[in-house]
Amino acid sequence: MPRCFWCTDDPLYQAYHDQEWGTPQRDPALLFEMLLLEGFQAGLSWITVLRKRERYREVLHGFDPVQLAAMSDERIEALMLDAGIIRNRLKLKAARRNAQAWLAVDNPARWLWSFVGGEPKINHFKGRSEVPAVTEEAKAMSKALQKAGFTFVGPTICYAFMQATGMVMDHTTDCDRYAALLR
């Protein structure tokens, strides 16, 4: 199956590409999970995060924002000892802060989708050189998220989040998922 240029032969990566990446997602729980995971990825490769995703789900209460918002400093310190996750204190504290900010937003899924006008933005990129790392929509989302109290939500993270959750469809035209998602 032809896939996007970034997808390696790793079965986990291929499954993520084939079943999840770029598929429009409006479920608030999954949007919140993906926003946190994109923040955890900062400075690392996405496959590193994918390999740790299940452990994150276990130790971060299934990404339940209510439980994460109440996470104590002691719990964060305990998580720093867990080799199954990315042990970064700032990112763990950001998860707590982002959960608190998420809970303060009225209808966060609708709000996040508003940065693309409520519908997926369909791109028609032929190759790697055409796919941007940041767009004006991602810059606007980043600015709004930061103003609302979120952290680890720079424009590059926001664009990756938008791609992952199908707010923008950046499968390249030579990828099988491109045609499938156009339908």
Side-chain angles (χ1 to χ4, degrees):
M1 169 176 160
R3 292 183 173 92
C4 292
F5 61 87
W6 55 264
C7 188
T8 67
D9 61 358
D10 184 297
L12 183 62
Y13 223 9
Q14 289 180 351
Y16 173 72
H17 172 275
D18 297 351
Q19 299 162 20
E20 189 172 353
W21 192 79
T23 302
Q25 182 54 253
R26 295 180 187 273
D27 175 19
L30 187 59
L31 289 170
F32 180 66
E33 175 179 335
M34 291 306 296
L35 189 62
L36 291 189
L37 289 174
E38 291 292 351
F40 284 128
Q41 188 242 337
L44 304 168
S45 67
W46 183 245
I47 192 65
T48 299
V49 174
L50 277 182
R51 289 181 180 140
K52 296 178 181 292
R53 186 180 197 179
E54 287 307 315
R55 184 65 182 150
Y56 272 121
R57 285 176 172 159
E58 292 170 14
V59 301
L60 296 182
H61 315 287
F63 291 99
D64 174 31
V66 172
Q67 291 186 61
L68 287 178
M71 188 166 52
S72 68
D73 287 340
E74 293 77 21
R75 176 69 180 141
I76 289 173
E77 290 308 312
L79 288 172
M80 287 295 296
L81 302 174
D82 190 327
I85 64 169
I86 297 161
R87 294 178 285 184
N88 180 304
R89 189 173 285 103
L90 290 176
K91 290 177 181 182
L92 289 168
K93 287 185 175 186
R96 177 177 60 195
R97 178 67 197 118
N98 290 349
Q100 294 164 348
W102 182 269
L103 293 171
V105 173
D106 181 46
N107 199 337
R110 184 176 61 209
W111 180 55
L112 290 169
W113 272 90
S114 75
F115 293 96
V116 292
E119 293 298 322
K121 179 181 176 186
I122 308 298
N123 292 313
H124 307 283
F125 300 131
K126 290 179 175 59
R128 169 184 293 206
S129 65
E130 295 180 34
V131 181
V134 173
T135 62
E136 291 305 313
E137 294 92 345
K139 288 177 185 176
M141 179 186 280
S142 172
K143 186 176 180 179
L145 284 168
Q146 290 173 25
K147 186 176 180 182
F150 290 81
T151 60
F152 279 91
V153 289
T156 303
I157 287 172
C158 285
Y159 195 65
F161 168 75
M162 294 168 95
Q163 290 173 310
T165 60
M167 292 177 186
V168 295
M169 203 277 279
D170 278 357
H171 284 279
T172 50
T173 56
D174 61 343
C175 173
D176 273 5
R177 292 290 293 152
Y178 173 83
L181 287 169
L182 278 182
R183 290 185 222 117

